[in-house]
Amino acid sequence: MNLSDLGWKPQLDVSFEPLKAHDLKPARVARVDREFYLVLGEHGELVAEISGKFRHETHTRADFPAVGDWVALLPRPDESKATIHAVLPRFSKFSRKVAGANTDEQIIAANVDSVFLVCGLDGDFNARRIERYLAPAWDSGATPVIVLNKADLRDDIDALVADVGSVAIGVAIHAVSASERLRLDALAPYLERGQTIALLGSSGVGKSTLINALLGTDKQATGDVSEHLDRGRHTTTHRELVVLPSGAMLIDNPGMRELQLWTDEGSLDKTFADIASLAKGCRFRDCSHASEPECAVQAALADGSLGPDRYRSYLKLQRELRYLAGRLDQRIRQAEKARWKQIHRVIRARAKLK
Ligand code: GDP
Ligand code: ZN
């Protein structure tokens, strides 16, 4: 397998260069199964484990390899095995942040180029809902792309796209129909060979249908694809990083599915829908409802329509979320530093061996 087909980027050469001199090879993680990592690289598919040294020196969960990560490993191709010595810096990542006494970050998918935020244009379509997915999408470092699915059900597509455009400034918006396979060619630019995509969206919006469409099970492609699928049968079911017929890779794993629940339900606005609806009347869109002028929440508090207890618990949760976000930023920076330290340690250790 060719590395650029697997999504290798020229900027990775910089971090990998010093490791290359020590017989380490790059490979991409296609699945994590407890302490085993299914990796893809120039040697094809290998089952890798992390080195004892790596395990010993790695203390945060986020520093272990995740699906989509590029790792530096020593291959043993005759056994189809390998030992991972380092994780290369990630250019994007989706993580789940576990709140509690200890903030912990679990990486769900790494090195994603584009993330499709899928919405369904049926029933309760709501442009504001997309805002909720935009924040984690931008945070991830991947480029968000809004996919309005089920376009076959509507004839006011242009108006809908304009509506969504007003809450998602600067984001590409494409209306498609996955089940009817309409306008899917609009997604082609994100699906070029070597690109990595992931999907986010609530349940029922048509993500599985879209994945099937992208996997190209239509008649035209069957001849080409069936051989490819057959050959990969014993592995495609295990992989969470799947190569699409277009040459792009899709990361589809249980963590991404949970992330959308977290994104959907964990928000302050949902828990405090009353305050969120009052907040629409605030002068400033990012009003914190503490001391800003013309704050509708403060006004409701003053006229008694909002209870002081409710307001206090809102502020408390808001503070907690901000605190958590701040701590995470710090942890992420530390993790990135630790990864570089580790790369340097590997280089030194291997230099001694020579
Ligand atoms: P998921 O939960 O996001 O994976 O959604 P599914 O792919 O399971 O789809 C949910 C429902 O929406 C199913 O009944 C699909 O047949 C339907 N669906 C998916 N795509 C389209 C579409 O483009 N148009 C219409 N009308 N229905 C669709
Ligand atoms: Zn306010």
Side-chain angles (χ1 to χ4, degrees):
M1 261 175 270
N2 173 318
L3 292 180
S4 64
D5 286 356
L6 286 169
W8 185 265
K9 304 257 191 287
Q11 70 257 35
L12 287 164
D13 287 337
V14 180
S15 41
F16 192 68
E17 188 59 34
L19 297 163
K20 196 159 81 183
H22 299 286
D23 305 324
L24 295 171
K25 303 285 181 205
R28 199 160 185 206
V29 177
R31 183 192 163 100
V32 180
D33 196 351
R34 284 183 298 262
E35 66 267 43
F36 297 104
Y37 301 87
L38 185 72
V39 300
L40 307 173
E42 278 165 344
H43 292 91
E45 188 176 286
L46 303 172
V47 174
E49 287 181 80
I50 55 176
S51 72
K53 203 164 160 33
F54 185 121
R55 184 184 306 278
H56 186 70
E57 288 168 353
T58 305
H59 302 294
T60 50
R61 213 160 150 190
D63 290 335
F64 283 90
V67 174
D69 261 331
W70 283 100
V71 295
L73 50 72
L74 263 190
R76 302 195 298 283
D78 22 321
E79 302 167 69
S80 293
K81 288 189 178 150
T83 307
I84 295 172
H85 288 265
V87 177
L88 300 185
R90 298 166 176 136
F91 62 81
S92 74
K93 65 177 160 42
F94 286 90
S95 52
R96 189 169 45 187
K97 292 139 191 187
V98 187
N102 261 321
T103 317
D104 206 354
E105 185 192 17
Q106 184 190 359
I107 309 293
I108 290 163
N111 302 320
V112 174
D113 293 295
S114 312
V115 55
F116 290 176
L117 307 180
V118 188
C119 315
L121 292 177
D122 49 352
D124 61 345
F125 172 74
N126 172 0
R128 283 206 65 110
R129 194 176 194 150
I130 295 169
E131 282 184 313
R132 212 168 277 161
Y133 288 102
L134 274 170
W138 283 124
D139 282 350
S140 74
T143 304
V145 175
I146 295 173
V147 177
L148 304 176
N149 188 34
K150 311 196 188 185
D152 56 298
L153 299 178
R154 307 287 287 243
D155 43 22
D156 53 346
I157 298 297
D158 290 345
L160 284 165
V161 169
D163 224 22
V164 174
S166 67
V167 299
I169 293 149
V171 182
I173 304 166
H174 303 287
V176 304
S177 168
S179 63
E180 309 309 307
R181 314 259 162 120
L182 296 173
R183 304 210 207 182
L184 290 175
D185 51 345
L187 304 178
Y190 315 103
L191 299 172
E192 284 171 7
R193 181 170 301 277
Q195 290 287 302
T196 303
I197 62 154
L199 271 59
L200 266 184
S202 310
S203 158
V205 296
K207 294 180 301 295
S208 315
T209 311
L210 182 59
I211 289 171
N212 285 337
L214 298 178
L215 278 168
T217 43
D218 61 287
K219 287 220 168 59
Q220 249 188 334
T222 313
D224 295 337
V225 173
S226 61
E227 189 220 6
H228 174 87
L229 289 178
D230 275 346
R231 200 155 23 90
R233 177 165 300 159
H234 67 294
T235 54
T236 40
T237 50
H238 298 304
R239 285 191 197 164
E240 295 176 350
L241 179 120
V242 188
V243 183
L244 301 173
S246 72
M249 281 151 290
L250 163 75
I251 294 184
D252 179 29
N253 62 7
M256 284 304 281
R257 280 178 226 135
E258 278 169 37
L259 180 68
Q260 53 225 18
L261 286 179
W262 186 84
T263 307
D264 234 10
E265 287 165 13
S267 90
L268 197 61
D269 282 6
K270 197 153 179 173
T271 319
F272 291 93
D274 49 348
I275 293 181
S277 110
L278 281 171
K280 286 181 193 142
C282 293
R283 165 151 185 207
F284 297 105
R285 226 181 134 205
D286 60 350
C287 185
S288 69
H289 321 307
S291 53
E292 284 89 338
E294 298 180 56
C295 170
V297 175
Q298 283 292 341
L301 200 59
D303 73 22
S305 55
L306 174 69
D309 288 344
R310 178 84 183 152
Y311 177 66
R312 262 196 297 278
S313 52
Y314 170 84
L315 287 184
K316 183 163 172 282
L317 182 58
Q318 189 190 51
R319 261 199 311 274
E320 277 169 9
L321 289 173
R322 289 201 175 149
Y323 174 69
L324 184 63
R327 282 200 34 195
L328 282 162
D329 278 353
Q330 205 185 341
R331 300 269 302 219
I332 291 162
R333 279 197 298 275
Q334 278 168 359
E336 212 53 34
K337 236 163 92 194
R339 210 170 350 264
W340 274 101
K341 261 197 201 143
Q342 200 206 357
I343 288 173
H344 290 132
R345 271 200 300 270
V346 172
I347 296 162
R348 276 199 301 276
R350 297 202 59 81
K352 273 188 209 146
L353 287 177
K354 284 224 158 150

